[in-house]
Amino acid sequence: MHSTTFGDHTVLWRIARGSQIAIESLIDHAAGAPAYRMRMDGSIIDIPNGDPGMIYFGEGEDRPDLAQVREWFPKLFDIWNTVRTQYWQAITPR
């Protein structure tokens, strides 16, 4: 599991089958919005007692890739670019 932080946002992600980036969660440390889970189809399930600003992704073993979360949250391009950079650092031999 990898953790990437940029500004007020932290993304937990992993390298999945086929060297794909699987996004597990997004935390907006400055948000007071209630926690929720975003399913693969974009629908939302509230998490009543979850930490504010927390967004979980997918269900079961299914997680969205980087391209999908970029579509859902286009204004967060800085964090997505940072995730992509750290991904390449993780898979490129030194």
Side-chain angles (χ1 to χ4, degrees):
M1 188 72 61
H2 299 269
S3 177
T4 300
T5 300
F6 188 94
D8 291 332
H9 299 94
T10 300
V11 174
L12 295 179
W13 58 279
R14 62 184 166 81
I15 300 172
R17 61 190 178 278
S19 298
Q20 180 180 7
I21 301 171
I23 306 296
E24 297 285 334
S25 63
L26 168 66
I27 306 166
D28 183 343
H29 300 283
Y36 63 90
R37 175 171 298 281
M38 183 172 264
R39 293 178 167 167
M40 295 299 289
D41 65 2
S43 62
I44 292 174
I45 301 170
D46 291 331
I47 302 175
N49 295 321
D51 292 332
M54 190 75 187
I55 303 168
Y56 297 96
F57 294 104
E59 291 181 286
E61 294 298 315
D62 293 330
R63 296 294 179 272
D65 62 12
L66 185 59
Q68 180 62 62
V69 294
R70 277 183 184 274
E71 287 183 27
W72 287 335
F73 301 94
K75 293 181 180 179
L76 300 180
F77 59 87
D78 287 327
I79 188 70
W80 307 132
N81 289 345
T82 305
V83 167
R84 184 185 65 221
T85 298
Q86 289 183 355
Y87 163 79
W88 284 109
Q89 291 170 348
I91 67 165
T92 302
R94 296 178 190 237

